[in-house]
């Protein structure tokens, strides 16, 4: 299958990333203007409005853009935000009799053993809408209690009376035998055709009763909302003359069709942040970097991910809507393929405040796009990280968004002075630095824990910083972690949206195959892999995939353990000894030892398949790297963290820095979508691709 951008008619590609504060739009026009980028404030009431407003401006600037556009790539946090803000649909759960409380029982673990006031997320489905159905399938797939028709009729009557909009069906052990779930779904479709359905054995045919049910419920909760949103976006794009196909960015960093995203919206919950991490992976391979810390700091949150040996760290589950921001187990568990992102801190719009005992804190509340930080001049009065960065001199009030949006320094000072400086007895610049440094310290602390969990040392990594606020805080984060090399890619404020252009379509499938390794049947495993591959090719819309475009892994553990590890397979027909050796290597790297004489077992088989869509390599974007003659940088006062005083910083425009340019610290590099700050001893250099490299002359702490 030909990919977009193969020279056939010079088709255009449009990408849009809707964040909490800004909406980023990119257009790749190989036959004309090359790469066009655009950044505007997000419209929280209706995120599609900002997207379409930006599209309208691009249409007026690029001739025949709608007719020439073959692909539209879109990332959205709509599903994630709906769950966090509890703005999803009226949802019910059909479950096996006796299991209606699984959402509260969960794994019966306390995420904080010492918190006597511990709280957990309120279930997305109230107990009165969790309806028990008489049926029972055993763990081996045997039907123990047939599905009771009268029980299902009672459920349908209650669903209709309660005006339920969406239903999740999750029966016990349906991953081994989905018959009852399929029968129930058929009956519900006939009786309630306007109700959206999520069938757990179709969404997640995997062992783990709580995780499967929780994921199915979350999918059902956002399904009507996402379907309506995508339908609206497609309709309005068609009205503007766009004839290309719409693809959505998945939580694993790949792309999928809008139809699949509407059916399984929970798979796109971490859409935008995952794309940025995917771009960091591409950049790491291109620059030959072995270990990279991807650092994405936007307007609302900051997220990090490790790239090791040129491969992004991925996971099969994550949490959403945590009660305790950085505590695992305090959120709603979702079992979906996802980039292993760690939320490490606040964003540019995060609000600073004093807690109950008067200590300074930043986030998680955010000013968002409306009203935004105080310096935006849109009615915001709460002090934010962006306000602090402006008061410290790191941001220019006249250069923000290329001068299209002036920042109000006096409003920023007033907000910080009123809420932080005066109550804490600090000067306003000192309070601003306290906010800035606290954000960096919180991020460093969370990153250290993540590195320790992965048995890695931060100093061995290169930090790749992007997002609107990422390059402002990257040097401070690296300094605290002992990282001595930071890279800021071209157009860092739009890096996630640009990463869409390099992302492939990805489909990940899983099947539970619980068997001791000593009893593994090679024929059964081979047949299972073949079925998963066939499923993947169907969703990727191809008839064949070369071996290089798909990978198989096994979830394995020692018999009796409650946690498993991911073991990559080498080929589709590995020997038991090879599997055992691969498991031992993974287990020892994570835990420092292996258990001699203890039986290993397989839990799940996973397949990840991909195919190129846009077919664009990062080399194609080099034409957008900074150009122009080097010139002497101007200077402006900014805060020096070592002397705790304002000193002259060299300030340069990025478009004027050609390859080979070097700026000595302290210095600031400004561009339209972001600002890079190096306040510590060292220098900034520019490579032949246009990336900025921050090098520290001394070790951090």
């Amino acid at each position: 299958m030909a990919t977009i951008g193969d020279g056939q008619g010079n088709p255009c590609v449009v990408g849009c990333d809707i964040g909490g504060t800004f909406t980023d739009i990119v257009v790749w026009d190989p036959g004309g203007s090359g790469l066009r980028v655009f950044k505007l404030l997000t419209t929280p009431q209706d995120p599609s409005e900002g997207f379409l407003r930006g599209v309208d401006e691009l249409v007026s600037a690029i001739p025949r853009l709608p007719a020439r556009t073959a692909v539209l790539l879109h990332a959205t946090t709509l599903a994630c935000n709906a769950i966090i803000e509890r703005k999803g649909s009226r949802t019910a759960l059909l479950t096996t009799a006796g299991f209606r409380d699984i959402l509260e029982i969960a794994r019966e673990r306390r995420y904080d053993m010492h918190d006597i006031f511990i709280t957990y997320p309120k279930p997305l489905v109230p107990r009165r809408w969790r309806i028990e159905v008489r049926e029972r399938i055993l763990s081996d797939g045997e039907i123990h209690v047939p599905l009771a028709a009268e029980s299902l009729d009672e459920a349908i009557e209650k669903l209709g009376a309660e005006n339920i909009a969406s239903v999740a069906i999750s029966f016990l052990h349906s991953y081994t035998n989905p018959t009852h779930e399929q029968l129930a779904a058929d009956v519900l479709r006939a009786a309630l055709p306007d109700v959206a359905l999520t069938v757990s054995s179709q969404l997640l045919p995997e062992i783990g009763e709580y995780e499967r049910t929780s994921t199915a419920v979350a999918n059902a909760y956002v399904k009507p909302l996402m379907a309506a949103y995508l339908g609206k976006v497609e309709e309005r794009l068609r009205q503007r003359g766009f004839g290309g196909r719409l693809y959505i960015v998945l939580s694993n960093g790949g792309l999928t069709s809008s139809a699949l995203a509407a059916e399984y919206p929970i798979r796109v919950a971490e859409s935008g942040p995952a794309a940025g991490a995917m771009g960091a992976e591409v950049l790491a391979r291109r620059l030959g970097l072995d270990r990279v810390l991807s650092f994405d700091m936007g307007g609302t949150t900051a997220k990090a991910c490790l790239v090791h040996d040129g491969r992004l760290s991925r996971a099969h589950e994550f949490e959403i809507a945590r009660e305790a921001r950085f505590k695992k187990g305090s959120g709603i568990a979702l079992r979906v393929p996802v980039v292993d992102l760690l939320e490490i801190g606040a964003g540019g719009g995060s609000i600073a405040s004093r807690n109950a005992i008067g200590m300074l804190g930043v986030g998680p509340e955010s000013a968002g796009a409306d009203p935004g930080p105080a310096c935006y001049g849109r009615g915001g009065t709460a002090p934010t990280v962006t306000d602090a960065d402006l008061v410290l001199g790191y941001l220019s009030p006249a250069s923000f968004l290329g001068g299209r949006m002036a920042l109000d320094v006096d409003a920023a000072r007033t907000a910080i002075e009123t809420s932080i400086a005066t109550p804490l007895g600090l000067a306003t610049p000192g309070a601003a630095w306290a906010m800035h440094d606290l954000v960096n310290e919180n991020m460093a602390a969370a990153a250290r824990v993540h590195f320790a969990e992965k048995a890695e040392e931060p100093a061995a990594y290169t930090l790749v910083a992007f997002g609107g606020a990422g390059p402002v805080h990257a040097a401070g984060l690296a300094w605290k972690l002992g990282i001595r090399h930071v890279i800021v890619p071209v157009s860092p404020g739009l890096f996630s949206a640009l990463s869409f252009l390099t992302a492939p379509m990805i489909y990940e499938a899983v099947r539970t195959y619980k068997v001791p390794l000593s009893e593994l049947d090679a024929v059964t495993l081979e047949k299972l892999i073949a079925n998963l591959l066939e499923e993947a090719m169907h969703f990727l819309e191809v008839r064949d995939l070369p071996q290089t475009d798909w990978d198989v892994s096994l979830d394995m553990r020692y018999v009796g353990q409650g946690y498993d590890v991911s073991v990559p397979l080498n080929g589709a027909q590995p020997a038991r000894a090879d599997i055992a050796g691969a498991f031992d290597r993974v287990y020892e790297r994570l835990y420092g030892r292996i258990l001699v004489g203890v039986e290993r077992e397989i839990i799940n088989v996973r397949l990840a398949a991909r195919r190129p869509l846009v077919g664009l390599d990062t080399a194609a974007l080099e034409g957008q790297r900074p150009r122009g003659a080097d010139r002497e940088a101007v200077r402006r006062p900014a805060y020096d963290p070592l002397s705790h005083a304002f000193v002259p910083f060299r300030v340069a425009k990025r478009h004027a820095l050609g390859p080979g340019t070097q700026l000595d610290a302290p210095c600031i590099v400004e561009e339209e979508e972001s600002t890079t700050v190096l306040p510590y001893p060292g220098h900034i250099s520019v490579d032949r691709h246009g990336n900025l490299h921050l090098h520290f002359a001394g070790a951090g702490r």
Side-chain angles (χ1 to χ4, degrees), residues 445-673:
R448 289 188 195 101
V449 173
H450 192 56
F451 275 111
E453 291 175 342
K454 301 295 184 181
E456 295 290 338
E457 174 58 45
Y461 277 71
T462 296
L463 189 147
V464 173
F466 52 94
V472 181
H473 290 260
L477 175 60
W479 183 262
K480 291 177 180 292
L481 289 174
I483 293 174
R484 300 173 64 93
H485 183 199
V486 176
I487 297 176
V488 179
V490 175
S491 299
L494 292 150
F495 188 72
S496 290
L498 289 169
S499 298
F500 300 170
L501 304 179
T502 66
M505 284 191 73
I506 294 181
Y507 184 81
E508 297 190 36
V510 59
R511 291 291 184 277
T512 292
Y513 179 45
K514 194 172 185 297
V515 59
L517 182 57
S518 61
E519 300 176 16
L520 172 65
D521 180 55
V523 175
T524 300
L525 179 60
E526 185 178 353
K527 184 181 297 184
L528 189 56
I529 293 173
N531 291 338
L532 293 174
L533 184 58
E534 184 177 350
E535 177 183 323
M537 289 190 295
H538 169 73
F539 284 104
L540 293 180
E541 303 170 346
V542 294
R543 295 182 179 180
D544 190 24
L545 277 177
Q547 174 68 62
T548 54
D549 285 345
W550 55 274
D551 303 299
V552 178
S553 63
L554 303 176
D555 294 345
M556 295 184 64
R557 62 192 180 194
Y558 288 112
V559 173
Q561 288 186 326
Y563 297 91
D564 47 63
V565 298
S566 180
V567 179
L569 286 188
N570 185 16
Q573 299 174 307
R576 289 180 190 171
D578 294 335
I579 296 176
F583 172 81
D584 289 348
R585 287 189 294 273
V586 172
Y587 198 91
E588 186 172 19
R589 181 176 63 82
L590 289 173
Y591 302 109
R593 57 174 296 191
I594 59 175
L595 306 183
V596 179
V598 181
E599 174 72 282
R600 311 167 186 86
E601 68 176 344
I602 297 171
I603 305 298
N604 298 306
V605 181
R606 299 182 184 274
L607 183 140
R610 57 203 160 270
R611 77 166 176 89
L613 181 66
V614 177
L616 189 65
D617 183 76
T618 50
L621 303 181
E622 283 187 31
Q624 305 304 313
R625 68 179 186 268
R627 295 178 181 272
D630 298 340
R631 65 180 183 181
E632 182 67 25
V634 299
R635 296 178 183 271
R636 75 161 177 261
Y639 194 85
D640 174 20
L642 299 183
S643 66
H644 298 289
F646 281 80
V647 302
F649 274 57
R650 294 164 60 88
V651 181
K653 298 297 183 182
R654 187 164 183 176
H655 64 77
L657 302 180
T661 302
Q662 180 171 311
L663 289 176
D664 292 330
C667 57
I668 295 171
V669 178
E670 295 178 341
E671 55 191 303
E672 187 163 323
E673 308 89 14

Side-chain angles (χ1 to χ4, degrees), residues 244-415:
R245 293 188 62 182
L246 178 64
Y247 291 88
I248 309 300
V249 180
L250 291 161
S251 296
N252 61 12
L255 303 168
T256 191
S257 66
S258 58
L260 192 62
E263 184 67 23
Y264 302 125
I266 203 61
R267 293 185 177 180
V268 303
E270 288 285 89
S271 187
M278 192 86 166
E281 178 187 48
V282 173
L283 184 65
R285 287 200 299 265
R286 179 160 185 76
L287 298 181
L289 300 173
D290 192 39
R291 289 177 172 83
V292 161
L293 173 63
S294 165
F295 170 53
D296 178 5
M297 186 174 180
T300 307
T301 59
K303 299 199 175 186
C305 184
L306 301 185
V307 180
H308 193 278
D309 293 331
R311 296 185 68 89
L312 198 61
S313 177
R314 288 183 167 82
H316 305 301
E317 62 182 349
F318 72 105
E319 294 178 3
I320 198 170
R322 283 180 171 175
E323 290 290 299
R325 192 173 189 184
F326 301 121
K327 293 184 179 180
K328 186 176 181 180
S330 66
I332 297 173
L334 301 178
R335 186 70 66 87
V336 292
V338 63
V339 170
D340 191 11
L341 288 166
L342 174 71
E343 183 176 331
I344 62 172
S350 295
I351 296 172
S353 61
R354 292 171 296 119
N355 62 20
I357 60 174
M359 294 182 65
L360 177 65
V362 180
E365 292 79 20
S366 174
D370 187 12
C375 62
Y376 282 10
R378 297 168 57 88
T381 58
T384 68
V385 175
T386 297
D387 293 312
D389 293 340
L390 179 63
V391 169
L392 293 170
Y394 297 152
L395 301 179
S396 167
S399 300
F400 197 71
L401 291 186
R404 291 187 288 113
M405 183 176 177
L407 299 182
D408 189 337
V409 182
D410 291 335
R413 287 198 185 101
T414 299

Side-chain angles (χ1 to χ4, degrees), residues 104-364:
E104 276 120 343
I105 295 172
R107 287 295 182 185
E108 298 184 284
R109 298 192 193 100
R110 294 174 62 88
Y111 61 84
D112 189 334
M113 295 297 294
H114 306 290
D115 185 357
I116 61 174
F117 302 108
I118 193 169
T119 59
Y120 292 88
K122 186 178 179 181
L124 297 176
V125 177
R127 196 170 191 270
R128 69 180 183 278
W129 293 342
R130 292 178 234 149
I131 305 171
E132 298 181 344
V133 176
R134 291 191 297 279
E135 67 85 37
R136 189 64 175 265
I137 290 176
L138 302 182
S139 61
D140 61 359
E142 178 187 347
I143 297 177
H144 183 63
V145 177
L147 180 64
E150 64 277 10
S151 179
L152 199 55
D153 290 340
E154 293 170 3
I156 291 173
E157 183 178 351
K158 185 172 183 178
L159 293 172
E162 294 283 355
N163 295 318
I164 296 298
S166 188
V167 175
I169 304 174
S170 183
F171 293 156
L172 194 65
H173 299 309
S174 63
Y175 61 90
T176 61
N177 184 349
T179 302
H180 285 179
E181 284 193 355
Q182 293 171 351
L183 286 172
D186 290 341
V187 173
L188 259 66
R189 287 191 187 96
L192 303 170
D194 295 329
V195 173
L197 294 181
T198 296
V199 182
S200 79
S201 55
Q202 295 175 356
L203 173 66
L204 187 66
E206 180 180 342
I207 193 172
E209 203 62 34
Y210 164 61
E211 290 83 1
R212 182 163 52 83
T213 302
S214 178
T215 304
V217 165
N219 191 82
Y221 187 71
V222 298
K223 188 173 182 177
L225 182 70
M226 182 64 83
Y229 172 80
L230 292 176
K232 177 181 179 180
V233 168
E234 289 198 275
E235 178 184 0
R236 294 194 174 182
L237 288 171
R238 299 283 179 262
Q239 291 172 354
R240 287 162 169 77
F242 284 88
R245 293 188 62 182
L246 178 64
Y247 291 88
I248 309 300
V249 180
L250 291 161
S251 296
N252 61 12
L255 303 168
T256 191
S257 66
S258 58
L260 192 62
E263 184 67 23
Y264 302 125
I266 203 61
R267 293 185 177 180
V268 303
E270 288 285 89
S271 187
M278 192 86 166
E281 178 187 48
V282 173
L283 184 65
R285 287 200 299 265
R286 179 160 185 76
L287 298 181
L289 300 173
D290 192 39
R291 289 177 172 83
V292 161
L293 173 63
S294 165
F295 170 53
D296 178 5
M297 186 174 180
T300 307
T301 59
K303 299 199 175 186
C305 184
L306 301 185
V307 180
H308 193 278
D309 293 331
R311 296 185 68 89
L312 198 61
S313 177
R314 288 183 167 82
H316 305 301
E317 62 182 349
F318 72 105
E319 294 178 3
I320 198 170
R322 283 180 171 175
E323 290 290 299
R325 192 173 189 184
F326 301 121
K327 293 184 179 180
K328 186 176 181 180
S330 66
I332 297 173
L334 301 178
R335 186 70 66 87
V336 292
V338 63
V339 170
D340 191 11
L341 288 166
L342 174 71
E343 183 176 331
I344 62 172
S350 295
I351 296 172
S353 61
R354 292 171 296 119
N355 62 20
I357 60 174
M359 294 182 65
L360 177 65
V362 180

